[in-house]
Amino acid sequence: MKLVVFGASGRMGIELVRQGVAAGHEVTAVVREGSTVQLPTPAGSVGGAGELVTADVMDPQAIASVVEGCDAVLSVLGPPGNGPSTVLTDGAQSVLRAMGETGVRRFLVVSVAGIHSKGDGPVTKYVVKPILQRILREPFADARRMEQLVRASELDWTIVCPPKLTTGAAKGTIRSNTDGTVRGGFTITRADVAAYLLSAIDNAAVIRKTVVIAN
């Protein structure tokens, strides 16, 4: 498939591009001006290709030509810190507009599991989540706004919500839930999130669904 990845200069984005190319996809990695990231050249590639493009994700006109003709757009943008931010919301709004103008329909975007509580155990729901809500109030608010925006679109979207991200090799075991959180799922490796995103692209069961995932 022809894939476009926004947020490709972050740790999640780099891993997603690496796995996408290794799986044989044509991946366009979109990075901001001044980024020093380089395209990965993974061993074991089965014919995939990578292209590095510099563009402002917040400018729909600038990215429309990038997404045109692709099979799916994946956004792994992340807030710069714990302070006030509109990166997720503004980024999604821009991407949705560019996709609407070019007719591309499949959109997968990473959010956060922390803003969802349906199915949580008592300790998580009444102790852990309230603490997280205070510490990460601003980025969580941005994630909520972004999710509302994506759900209101007419695209074939999937919102993927991981818990705390960890480094290291993929564990290969990914639990998921489209009707609530994953009990006891407090962490997941970035490699596993990337693997899930790629597997979900052509999974009709998760189109227009919010999916919480965890190891």
Side-chain angles (χ1 to χ4, degrees), residues 62-109:
I63 62 174
S65 60
V66 179
V67 304
E68 187 171 12
C70 75
D71 296 302
V73 174
L74 301 94
S75 176
V76 291
L77 295 170
N82 294 342
S85 174
T86 59
V87 168
L88 298 182
T89 306
D90 293 347
Q93 188 171 40
S94 179
V95 172
L96 289 171
R97 181 176 169 184
M99 293 178 68
E101 292 176 354
T102 56
V104 178
R105 294 199 53 80
R106 190 69 176 107
F107 181 45
L108 298 96
V109 59

Side-chain angles (χ1 to χ4, degrees), residues 106-184:
R106 190 69 176 107
F107 181 45
L108 298 96
V109 59
V110 171
S111 184
V112 291
I115 63 174
H116 300 279
S117 59
K118 182 180 179 181
D120 280 346
V123 174
T124 300
K125 186 173 184 178
Y126 297 111
V127 179
V128 177
K129 288 287 176 72
I131 293 173
L132 288 177
Q133 293 289 345
R134 289 195 296 271
I135 297 173
L136 302 173
R137 181 176 65 254
E138 298 293 347
F140 276 12
D142 189 19
R144 289 191 184 92
R145 293 191 299 267
M146 180 271 287
E147 290 195 11
Q148 291 173 354
L149 187 67
V150 173
R151 291 193 194 98
S153 77
E154 297 181 354
L155 298 181
D156 296 331
W157 53 265
T158 299
I159 299 171
V160 178
C161 303
K164 181 180 179 180
L165 300 173
T166 62
T167 57
K171 296 184 178 180
T173 302
I174 304 171
R175 295 180 291 155
S176 64
N177 190 357
T178 58
D179 190 36
T181 58
V182 176
R183 278 288 187 104

Side-chain angles (χ1 to χ4, degrees), residues 11 24 26 94:
R11 286 182 288 177
E26 295 180 28
S94 179

